[in-house]
Amino acid sequence: MLNAEENNFQTLKIMRAAPVIPVLVLDDAGTAQPLAEALISGGLPVLEVTLRTDAALDSIRAMANVPGAILGAGTVLNASDVASAKDAGATFAVSPGVTDELLVAAAEADLPLLAGAVTASEVMALLARGYRTAKFFPAGTSGGAPALKALSSPLPQMTFCPTGGVSPENANDYLSLPNVACVGGSWVAPKMAIESGDWGHIADLARDASKLR
Ligand code: 3PG
């Protein structure tokens, strides 16, 4: 049973491992291992494979043994997703929002969870349960960096990973904030580069992203 304090410790460690968490949407599990290797070689070891495609769980299985990977499942919405993610080899989970069911399931499965919160009330609800890390999603349309900056005054205890609409151009706006530990984004793993197996390009994008902040 992972209590909230231990969840904070584990998720913060993951969030501090690299400035960018690649958000990966994979249609072919055959691309998973070389993709993970390219991202890690470029300096981004924390990977979020979204549970949005039929290939997602097989992709996590394929990445689980890649040396250096800190492997998470994204778009984890309920207890069933928690069980599938854990079974496939994910060592943490990310959710766009939060429900009681999800918090309990992740805690019971010993799976560190980065749950989503954007409003002051959502942040307060997580804080009230002892959680001090959160995904800020969708970042761009939820007020972006100015919204996070505003939240840092009354609610400085919460540390965020903004995701959704983050790009190389605006990543530093987020990363320079005191309540942001990392950002999430799909730009480091473009669909076309994955489909064409252009791992060199993806490693280059990861290298640039790893130097942000
Ligand atoms: C997602 O859930 O797809 C992520 O938030 C990624 O968003 P992005 O494509 O804007 O980086």
Side-chain angles (χ1 to χ4, degrees):
M1 181 82 180
L2 195 72
N3 65 28
E5 202 48 54
E6 186 63 17
N7 195 78
N8 296 334
F9 178 76
Q10 297 289 346
T11 52
L12 213 46
K13 200 163 82 177
I14 293 163
M15 293 162 83
R16 287 184 174 148
V20 179
I21 300 179
V23 176
L24 308 173
V25 183
L26 295 177
D27 293 313
D28 174 5
T31 61
Q33 185 180 332
L35 173 63
E37 288 167 352
L39 290 165
I40 294 166
S41 77
L44 298 182
V46 185
L47 309 173
E48 176 188 336
V49 179
T50 58
L51 300 188
R52 279 181 221 175
T53 60
D54 291 342
L57 291 171
D58 281 342
S59 298
I60 292 174
R61 283 187 197 97
M63 289 175 168
N65 294 320
V66 174
I70 303 171
L71 186 56
T75 326
V76 171
L77 304 181
N78 50 44
S80 160
D81 289 344
V82 167
S84 310
K86 174 110 183 171
D87 178 65
T91 57
F92 72 98
V94 183
S95 175
V98 66
T99 66
D100 284 344
E101 176 199 350
L102 186 58
L103 288 177
V104 170
E108 285 182 354
D110 279 329
L111 190 65
L113 171 70
L114 197 56
V118 289
T119 66
S121 291
E122 289 165 358
V123 174
M124 286 171 63
L126 278 179
L127 288 173
R129 297 182 71 148
Y131 292 86
R132 293 198 305 276
T133 57
K135 171 171 176 165
F136 184 78
F137 174 84
T141 53
S142 303
L148 276 164
K149 187 171 182 202
L151 285 171
S152 76
S153 298
L155 301 168
Q157 312 92 313
M158 186 60 87
T159 300
F160 293 93
C161 174
T163 305
V166 183
S167 67
E169 288 71 38
N170 65 15
N172 274 329
D173 297 344
Y174 293 103
L175 290 166
S176 59
L177 297 173
N179 57 344
V180 170
C182 64
V183 298
S186 62
W187 84 86
V188 284
K191 196 174 168 62
M192 270 181 58
I194 294 173
E195 280 172 6
S196 62
D198 193 350
W199 311 124
H201 178 52
I202 289 176
D204 286 344
L205 290 170
R207 204 163 292 115
D208 290 344
S210 74
K211 293 181 193 136
L212 286 167
R213 192 197 308 266

